[in-house]
Amino acid sequence: MVLLFVLLLAGMASALPDDNRTIIHDPLPAGERVPIFLVLSEQPEQLVSFNQLKTDALGRQTQVVQSVRAVDPTAAKTARSYWIANAVWLEADPATLDRLAALPGVDHIEPDLTVTLSDPVAEVASTIGPDYIRRPQIGYATVWSVDYIEAPSVWKNGTTGEGVTIAIIDTGIDGSHPAFGDRITKFADFINGDNSSAYDDHGHGTHCAGTAAGGTVTIDRYGDKYDVALGVAPGANLIGAKVLDSRGSGNFNTVLDGAQWAIDNGADVVSMSLGAYVTDDNYEGGFSLGEGENRTVSLNVSSEMVGDSENLYEPQFVIGSVRVEDYTTAAGYDAPDLLENLTISVTDARGNIASGAEIDWLGFDSKKNCYYFKAPYASNTAGWDGVWEINITNTGAVPVGIDRVGLSECYQSGGETILDSTINNMVRGGTVVALAAGNEGWYGTATIGTPGTAKDAITVG
């Protein structure tokens, strides 16, 4: 995973139980405008070249923007064209959405969602420890991950990435990192507009760039010096598009900015370690349950994602979470099982208490104070649309502090979103695109986030 993940180790905006991402807030505060994409009806069936794709898309969008001006003049002033997926981004008055969707030439409207990282990598180092080094043959050394996938056997044939340009569309790249030398040839910042030099105020993009194309550095190991190759393609050039902020978060529109920029600047390979796994959540916490007391949290679950009348996102499962306060003592001793006195039940939209046939009760967390469950859509279709409830009852004699309890409905792209189309068009134009599947495999199946759902991408888990 460390390897190809270069291109995407973390990425995905995952539906973590600790996240709280509602797609479109309804109702919106008075005067607030919503960022959307008008996706045009005419999409390319065959891609001759990126230049032709650009010419055709921008030509078709002229009339659409003029029509927008008649419906919502303020929105027309914010309009930005995207040729990679033939769409127009703008900030619209929510009251005009139906009229905008009905404009001639518009196929549908999509919300400008947020993509994030879920990568466990927390920091990037400028040195490497000896435990990570492997020396498969006399004369060279590399890191364990590169050796594990047998990249050195490819290097023997003279293939080290030389002459190839890899675009890292991420949080940026640290241009001063010793692993890259002078191989970062171009950089664009779509978050802060700082294009003076390549930088990374998060670290994830640098991590991905290093896995993909970290070069050879000299290290001292017990008095002996070694030249250690760090990346899979240590001879490749890098270009970096910063589309995620210092928290590892960004919107679809900045990802499209980075994708178009990468194509315009000759990327042969594109790495996107990011994504969106959409959730609708309801959480409560910070309360105590005494003997015999109970608490119920409810969530209005729907087979149609909020704001998605075109069914671009498909329901996958409901995740429930219970987290109690951890009373681990200062001396380091764990308290008894903190969940043993809690009875947890789930009721579906028909009012039926879900059984083992409908719900995976195995749990997904080894910590004593956490418990999760999953109710797959495929097993709960009949009772899906409506209000779901999770009920917790304290059957013990002592109070239990509840840190958090909640329900989340999780959706997955059906492969037809604007990001999916963007990736498919890039691949059809001859660009290799590697994407993150996401790191939510502990939920089981159906956890691939957008744009990893694009059918033509290389999606890595």
Side-chain angles (χ1 to χ4, degrees), residues 15-21 279-285 287 297-299 319-323 372 403-410 443:
L16 289 171
D18 290 336
D19 289 346
N20 187 4
R21 272 186 292 282
T279 70
D280 190 9
D281 314 312
N282 186 24
Y283 291 106
E284 294 182 15
F287 58 88
V297 172
S298 62
L299 177 69
I319 288 288
S321 60
V322 177
R323 189 172 69 209
Y372 302 126
D403 185 44
R404 195 169 193 180
V405 56
L407 287 171
S408 299
E409 181 188 10
C410 304
Y443 285 148

Side-chain angles (χ1 to χ4, degrees), residues 108-111 302-316 377 385 411-417 420:
H108 66 274
I109 287 178
E110 291 186 35
S302 172
S303 56
E304 182 179 286
M305 189 188 87
V306 180
D308 177 32
S309 60
E310 299 294 327
N311 297 316
L312 298 174
Y313 293 86
E314 303 167 346
Q316 294 299 325
Y377 176 73
D385 288 273
Y411 301 86
Q412 185 180 53
S413 165
E416 302 295 332
T417 72
D420 292 309

Side-chain angles (χ1 to χ4, degrees), residues 180-194:
F180 304 127
D182 59 357
R183 291 181 297 114
I184 302 176
T185 60
K186 294 178 182 178
F187 180 79
D189 179 2
F190 295 99
I191 298 295
N192 303 312
D194 182 3

Side-chain angles (χ1 to χ4, degrees), residues 443-454:
Y443 285 148
T445 58
T447 59
I448 298 177
T450 309
T453 44

Side-chain angles (χ1 to χ4, degrees), residues 286-347:
F287 58 88
S288 179
L289 291 179
E291 181 180 1
E293 291 184 338
N294 63 74
R295 190 72 165 250
T296 299
V297 172
S298 62
L299 177 69
N300 190 17
V301 173
S302 172
S303 56
E304 182 179 286
M305 189 188 87
V306 180
D308 177 32
S309 60
E310 299 294 327
N311 297 316
L312 298 174
Y313 293 86
E314 303 167 346
Q316 294 299 325
F317 44 78
V318 169
I319 288 288
S321 60
V322 177
R323 189 172 69 209
V324 299
E325 294 181 2
D326 190 349
Y327 295 110
T328 303
T329 66
Y333 299 105
D334 289 339
D337 188 346
L338 298 168
L339 296 167
E340 63 181 359
N341 292 329
L342 296 182
T343 298
I344 305 169
S345 65
V346 177
T347 305

